[in-house]
Structure formats: C-alpha cells, structure tokens
Amino acid sequence: MHAAFFLLLGASVARFLLRHPGEPRTPWIIALSITLALLYVLGPAVGGGTTAAPAPHRRRRWLWLGLVVATWVVLVVLAPSFAWCAVPLFFTTLRTLPPRAAAALVTVLTVFVVAAQLKLSTAFDPNLLLAPPAIAALATAVFIHMERQAQAQRALIDDLIRTRRELAATERREGTLAERQRLSMEIHDTLAQHLSSQQMLLQAADRTWDTDPATARGHVRTATGIAARGLAEARRLVHDLAPPELDNGTGLADALRALDAGPDIEVRFHLEGTPAPLPDRAESALLRIAQGALANIREHSGARTAALTLSFLGDQVVLDIADDGTGFPTAPTGAPTPTPTTTPTDRGHGLPAMRARVRQLGGSLTIESTPGEGTVLSASIPLEPTG
C-alpha cells in the first residue's frame, strides 16, 4: 500500500506537469505533493497504527490522518488527477479509525474521487459514477476480510501459546512427580535398606552383648561396614543418584557378584550368555532390584541361601533372584499378597518400586512363590538390537 501510494502520487505529479506546463499553480502543486509525501512518511513515526492502540497514540494518529486527507483534498481541488491517490488512503483510513468513522471518511473520499473524474471528463460517462464506489467497496471488503483473518490468527496464536504453556506446566509437574518417585525408590533401595540392616544387627548385638561378646562385636563390625556403604550411597545420591557399585567402570555382573544379604544368608551369583553393553539406566535398575530383593529375603523370608542369575538372551537381559525361604501365597495375577511381617507403612514400597523400575524401561517383573518352597523373582528388560 505504501509503494502504491507513492507510485500514484508520482504518476499524478508527472501527469500534471506534462499536461499543464508553465501554469501558475504548478509551484503549489509541487509543494503540496512534497508535503503530502512527507506527511505520509511520518505515519509510522506517529505510532498507534490500529484502533487497539492506547488513546494518546490514537489521537495523534487521527490528527495525522486528518492532515493527510486535508492536503490530498486541496491537491484534488487544484488538480483532479491526484484523485486516485485515495485508494491507498482507503486502507489507511480503515486501519486507523473506528468502523463507523472509517466508513464515513471513505464515503467522503469516494465523493471527491467521483467529482474529480467528472471534472476531468469531456463527456458524461456512467463508469465515472460507478467505478470509484466499486473500488471503495472492494477495498473495504478486502480490508474487513484481512482483519477477520488477522483476528482469527491472533486468537489461534494465543490458544497455541496458552496450550504450550499448559503443556510445559504439565510436563514440569509430571517430571517433578517422576523425579520424586525415582528419588523415593533410590532412597528405599539404598539408605532405608542399609538403616534397616544396621538396626537389625545392632539389636542382635545388644541381645548378645553380655552372653556372646565376640558375636556381638561381629554384628557391630558388620553394621559399621553397612553404615560406610550407606554413607557412600548418600554421597552418590547427592552427586548424581547413580549406584556407587557401578563406579570406576565396574560392570553389572561384578556389582551383583559383590552383593550380600547379611551374615546368615549365602548369596551365589551365576552369569549366563554373552554379556552385552547395557544402558546406564538398565544397569542401575537391575542392581537396585537385586538389592531390594536381597533386603526382602533378609527381612522376611528366613532363607539360608539366595541365588542371583543374570542372563543375556540376545534381545533381552533377565535377572532372577531365588531363595529357599518360607515363601508366600501369590494372587492370581502373580502379585504377592502381603505377609504378616509386611505393613503398608514401612515395608510396602519394595515390590512396587521394582515394578516401576522395569516398567520405565519397557520390561516386566514376575514373582513365583509357594509357602514353604521359597520365592523366585524375575526381572526382564528388552535390549535394543545392535547395529
């Protein structure tokens, strides 16, 4: 529109100079044309280009538009060939004024265009009466259509921005909940288990302190070792929550082989298949599952032996933990029913945490147990194909 305005203004000046050379009004025409061009250039600097602008900006814009239209009217009166500069002014008017005021001003501009065309014509032509109103109506319709599209686009953008913010907030909440769950599982499988073991050992040492000091001191030394591992776990949790058993390049098999379930339970480890590189999350999850399972065996099963079997089966890795303890009845779905020594408040988080770990990695957890015949817990995690 700006380019069209200056093109029409330049063409009108050229037409006047070619058709009316040496006329006394020529200096006025040139001065008014320059004034109109300068006023039009000042439009963006005035600010408040839409009806939604602040009131002071709107008033300055209306004053600017009034000066532009007044200068154009004087030009049209002196030289009717400047009439077609009104077409770009139609859009400027519609964009600057409220709808009713804009329609009124467009009508006035159209009347001046019709009068100028009739003044230039040598004979009456009906097109001179119909063409300017048709162009004004077309310009108004195009502007209204564009404005509606712009409003719809702005509304869509606002909806998208609001939806993106809501989605980001939801993702932050979900991330926070997932991180809380992960932290709770880490703490349960490490610090809570270590503290529970220390409590049991210190209680046993207290019971045998007078009757069997050697055994009591052995319990205390074992509790001290567990406290040292718990301290390392706590420091590692603060650092990056990765199991310290997997530090310094220690593989999952070596970490599992080093686990124990206390002085009264023999733990055996078996490795089957060809070891394959595992993601850090998978190694951490399997190690935590093994630690939690051994803690359950120590506290609830009464077992004398436990066997850890790590199997690499090509497309998945499977960790089996078996014991020869008392076992417990399982529900039809395979989920364990609570044992008398398991209370929801202090012993109910282990198995759900294990299930959550393998579920996050796309795996599965199964438990097989029969009263008096021990328990087998199996965790399988799929592996991505190599290459």
Side-chain angles (χ1 to χ4, degrees):
M1 287 287 89
H2 297 333
F5 175 81
F6 287 108
L7 180 62
L8 290 172
L9 181 62
S12 300
V13 172
R15 183 179 186 278
F16 178 83
L17 295 177
L18 292 174
R19 294 290 183 89
H20 309 281
E23 283 202 8
R25 53 181 174 166
T26 299
W28 289 100
I29 297 297
I30 295 176
L32 288 172
S33 298
I34 295 175
T35 302
L36 182 59
L38 292 176
L39 286 173
Y40 197 89
V41 168
L42 289 176
V46 173
T50 64
T51 57
H57 292 174
R58 290 201 305 269
R59 286 192 291 269
R60 289 200 301 269
R61 186 78 175 181
W62 295 345
L63 176 61
W64 166 82
L65 180 62
L67 292 175
V68 170
V69 171
T71 305
W72 172 81
V73 168
V74 175
L75 269 175
V76 171
V77 171
L78 294 178
S81 59
F82 286 85
W84 287 112
C85 292
V87 176
L89 294 181
F90 289 161
F91 289 94
T92 304
T93 300
L94 292 168
R95 187 169 181 265
T96 304
L97 298 179
R100 292 185 178 180
L105 185 55
V106 168
T107 301
V108 172
L109 296 177
T110 305
V111 170
F112 270 89
V113 172
V114 171
Q117 295 303 307
L118 291 176
K119 186 177 180 180
L120 288 174
S121 64
T122 57
F124 177 76
D125 187 351
N127 287 331
L128 300 179
L129 293 175
L130 299 178
I135 294 174
L138 179 61
T140 303
V142 169
F143 176 83
I144 292 174
H145 177 70
M146 292 171 59
E147 189 66 18
R148 288 176 178 174
Q149 282 189 327
Q151 291 176 357
Q153 188 177 29
R154 285 193 294 268
L156 178 61
I157 291 173
D158 291 340
D159 290 340
L160 290 175
I161 293 175
R162 183 172 58 255
T163 302
R164 185 173 62 182
R165 290 174 179 171
E166 293 174 353
L167 180 60
T170 301
E171 290 178 347
R172 284 195 297 269
R173 287 194 298 268
E174 292 179 351
T176 301
L177 293 175
E179 185 65 13
R180 287 178 179 176
Q181 182 183 22
R182 186 169 72 91
L183 286 173
S184 67
M185 290 188 298
E186 294 284 347
I187 294 172
H188 174 273
D189 291 342
T190 56
L191 300 181
Q193 301 296 351
H194 289 320
L195 291 173
S196 176
S197 300
Q198 294 173 52
Q199 182 184 29
M200 294 175 60
L201 289 168
L202 293 175
Q203 289 173 348
D206 182 64
R207 288 193 299 268
T208 61
W209 192 265
D210 296 327
T211 59
D212 191 354
T215 301
R217 283 193 293 269
H219 289 327
V220 171
R221 285 193 296 269
T222 304
T224 302
I226 294 175
R229 291 197 297 271
L231 179 60
E233 289 280 0
R235 289 173 176 170
R236 190 58 179 176
L237 281 173
V238 173
H239 184 261
D240 60 359
L241 300 177
E245 293 87 352
L246 298 175
D247 280 350
N248 302 321
T250 303
L252 177 61
D254 294 333
L256 292 175
R257 188 177 288 109
L259 294 179
D260 65 79
D264 299 327
I265 301 175
E266 180 185 2
V267 179
R268 304 190 186 100
F269 174 75
H270 305 280
L271 178 63
E272 297 183 358
T274 302
L278 297 177
D280 293 340
R281 291 183 60 196
E283 287 189 343
S284 177
L286 291 175
L287 179 60
R288 294 309 190 200
I289 289 172
Q291 290 174 328
L294 291 177
N296 288 340
I297 292 172
R298 179 178 61 249
E299 296 183 28
H300 305 305
S301 70
R304 304 298 299 175
T305 61
L308 303 178
T309 304
L310 181 64
S311 304
F312 290 88
L313 305 179
D315 60 343
Q316 63 178 343
V317 59
V318 180
L319 175 64
D320 297 313
I321 303 104
D323 67 75
D324 59 355
T326 58
F328 51 84
T330 55
T333 58
T337 58
T339 63
T341 59
T342 303
T343 63
T345 57
D346 60 354
R347 295 289 189 271
H349 190 66
L351 291 176
M354 296 179 193
R355 295 185 190 279
R357 287 183 186 279
V358 295
R359 186 165 55 246
Q360 290 173 358
L361 297 171
S364 60
L365 183 76
T366 59
I367 301 173
E368 298 178 2
S369 183
T370 303
E373 298 183 6
T375 302
V376 177
L377 182 146
S378 179
S380 62
I381 296 176
L383 299 178
E384 294 183 359
T386 58

